[in-house]
Amino acid sequence: MWRGGQFLPDGAASGPVHPVLRLYARWVRRPLLPALRLWRRNIQLRVVASTLLMSLGVVLLLGVVVIGQVRNGLLEAKQRTAQGQARGGFTAARDMADSGIDARGQDSGQTATQSGRRTVDSGNWLTGLVEQLASSGQGVYSVVALSSNTDDTSSASNRGARSSGDVDPERSVPQDLREKVEHGTGVYEKPASIKRGPSDEGVPGLVVGKRLYDVNGKPYQLYYLFPFSQEAKSLSLVTTTLATAGVFVVVLLGAIAWLVVRQVVTPVRMAAGISERLAAGILQERMKVTGEDDIARLGESFNKMAQNLQGKIQQLEELSRMQRRFVSDVSHELRTPLTTVRMAAEVIHDARDEFDPVTARSAELLHEQLDRFESLLADLLEISRFDAGAAALEAEPIDLRDVVHR
């Protein structure tokens, strides 16, 4: 608070404020004064602003709750769908390995071993497997096959990472998920960022993997990568729709509040203006009354009050005129007997030397009291002229010591 050029923190007095700080405070406060004055004087603005703020808070709260529920629902549905598709793919891969044929149904490039057995090339088999599993999931998921860490060096070199589309397998599959898949026998999943290239920041997704064996009985890791692109678009659409609807609802509630408050504030403002005109002496002003609601009853009560007030004021004015007229008439009527009494008193006062002391003193007192009575009568006539507006009161300084001495 500011008190006499001093800044009082928490109501406690302190030393004078630095002039620069005082100028800065005035510079900051000056543009806010009209807004604060309008805020204090305009009840309609306060009600509408409060309604908008509370509506905005409710809309934001509901939006956060709804968006959270929609996001959780989309993620749960995506997770269930991903788990089902991944298990189906793992089963299909195991069946292909057990059947001992190429996943593409073509010549797999079989070679003869030293014992005379013919084996399928693991690299070609994995490539065909990835192409076969990814053929039904274009745009929905990607398939990645990684060599197991237990493979020998020559085998691992022939079985590099296979992936469908342009997915970067090394950067898309988390390392800790690889370790779990490598040392476990079940299905493992983890949220990850699916990257398409070295410079791609990636999109959120879910990676589901399992350790399997190929047609030659060698272990490998098979992963399904499910991007959340479609869910992100759906969530963005829901968010945009909720934001648009929220803005519309807030604006609509503000307009409704403005209209409703206007119906109440307008008669109140009218009553305030009429009250000011009544205070200025315009006693014929009345409120316009329409309907039978509370505002109408307020207007009727206000008009009755104004009518009674006008009647009382007129009655008081009439009484005041009668009083002024009475004082004026009495003052004028008293002047004639006072003149007669004055003349008789002057004769008696001039002959007081011929009277005895008691009668002479009585003559002097009579003369003094007649002077006082005549002064009072003159004052009474002057007051009646002031009340009637025939004379203007002019105030002037006076020494009260003379009054006290008298």
Side-chain angles (χ1 to χ4, degrees):
M1 297 182 295
W2 291 89
R3 292 291 185 272
Q6 292 185 350
F7 184 71
L8 307 182
D10 298 332
S14 63
V17 181
H18 195 275
V20 176
L21 181 59
R22 186 183 298 113
L23 291 176
Y24 176 74
R26 292 177 180 175
W27 178 78
V28 172
R29 186 174 53 180
R30 186 178 294 111
L32 298 178
L33 290 179
L36 293 176
R37 189 179 299 110
L38 180 63
W39 177 265
R40 291 195 301 267
R41 300 183 62 180
N42 196 327
I43 186 174
Q44 187 175 4
L45 175 63
R46 294 202 301 270
V47 173
V48 173
S50 302
T51 303
L52 287 176
L53 290 177
M54 290 186 290
S55 302
L56 182 61
V58 172
V59 168
L60 288 177
L61 180 60
L62 291 178
V64 170
V65 173
V66 171
I67 291 175
Q69 293 293 332
V70 172
R71 182 177 61 249
N72 295 334
L74 291 174
L75 292 178
E76 291 177 0
K78 184 67 174 181
Q79 187 177 12
R80 289 194 298 268
T81 303
Q83 291 174 352
Q85 291 177 344
R87 287 192 176 92
F90 297 151
T91 302
R94 185 170 53 249
D95 293 341
M96 292 178 186
D98 294 339
S99 64
I101 61 173
D102 189 357
R104 291 175 292 186
Q106 301 175 355
D107 185 9
S108 58
Q110 294 178 344
T111 61
T113 62
Q114 295 178 356
S115 60
R117 296 180 56 191
R118 302 181 65 86
T119 60
V120 179
D121 183 78
S122 297
N124 294 334
W125 187 85
L126 285 177
T127 302
L129 175 65
V130 170
E131 293 177 358
Q132 181 69 21
L133 295 178
S135 61
S136 60
Q138 296 294 333
V140 179
Y141 58 85
S142 300
V143 180
V144 173
L146 300 178
S147 60
S148 177
N149 295 333
T150 60
D151 287 351
D152 55 82
T153 306
S154 60
S155 176
S157 61
N158 294 329
R159 297 172 57 193
R162 270 78 172 175
S163 62
S164 63
D166 54 353
V167 174
D168 187 351
E170 298 294 338
R171 300 176 63 224
S172 299
V173 180
Q175 184 63 34
D176 54 349
L177 180 61
R178 296 183 191 179
E179 296 178 357
K180 290 182 180 180
V181 172
E182 179 66 28
H183 299 90
T185 58
V187 178
Y188 299 92
E189 62 182 43
K190 182 180 181 180
S193 179
I194 301 176
K195 301 177 175 59
R196 302 290 179 179
S199 60
D200 185 16
E201 296 181 357
V203 295
L206 181 66
V207 180
V208 182
K210 185 178 181 180
R211 186 169 183 264
L212 298 172
Y213 295 90
D214 62 7
V215 68
N216 295 321
K218 297 179 181 180
Y220 70 97
Q221 299 176 5
L222 184 63
Y223 296 94
Y224 273 77
L225 284 66
F226 298 89
F228 292 153
S229 302
Q230 189 63 36
E231 287 71 18
K233 292 180 181 179
S234 301
L235 186 61
S236 177
L237 178 61
V238 172
T239 303
T240 304
T241 304
L242 288 177
T244 304
V247 172
F248 177 76
V249 168
V250 170
V251 173
L252 182 61
L253 290 177
I256 293 175
W258 184 80
L259 291 176
V260 172
V261 175
R262 181 180 176 84
Q263 295 179 359
V264 179
V265 172
T266 299
V268 174
R269 291 177 177 174
M270 186 183 302
I274 294 175
S275 300
E276 293 176 355
R277 289 191 288 274
L278 288 175
I282 308 176
L283 302 179
Q284 296 79 16
E285 290 288 336
R286 297 292 185 273
M287 287 185 63
K288 182 179 178 181
V289 179
T290 56
E292 300 178 356
D293 53 6
D294 296 335
I295 300 298
R297 290 198 296 270
L298 174 62
E300 293 176 356
S301 301
F302 186 88
N303 292 337
K304 290 181 181 179
M305 180 192 68
Q307 184 176 359
N308 294 333
L309 182 62
Q310 182 182 7
K312 292 295 182 181
I313 291 177
Q314 291 177 351
Q315 183 179 0
L316 292 175
E317 289 179 349
E318 183 65 24
L319 291 175
S320 179
R321 285 194 297 269
M322 293 177 61
Q323 180 182 3
R324 291 196 300 268
R325 184 175 179 180
F326 174 77
V327 173
S328 178
D329 293 343
V330 169
S331 300
H332 285 286
E333 292 296 332
L334 288 178
R335 292 188 67 85
T336 299
L338 179 62
T339 301
T340 303
V341 174
R342 162 67 69 180
M343 293 175 61
E346 290 291 341
V347 173
I348 297 174
H349 185 268
D350 292 340
R352 67 182 182 280
D353 295 337
E354 301 176 1
F355 302 148
D356 58 275
V358 176
T359 305
R361 179 56 181 166
S362 299
E364 293 178 355
L365 291 176
L366 177 62
H367 185 269
E368 292 177 358
Q369 295 301 319
L370 283 174
D371 291 339
R372 182 180 179 185
F373 184 74
E374 189 174 5
S375 176
L376 291 175
L377 184 60
D379 293 340
L380 186 62
L381 288 173
E382 186 176 5
I383 290 174
S384 64
R385 289 196 300 270
F386 289 145
D387 292 338
L393 182 63
E394 294 181 359
E396 60 181 12
I398 187 172
D399 191 354
L400 293 179
R401 291 176 293 183
D402 297 337
V403 179
V404 175
H405 289 162
R406 289 198 304 270

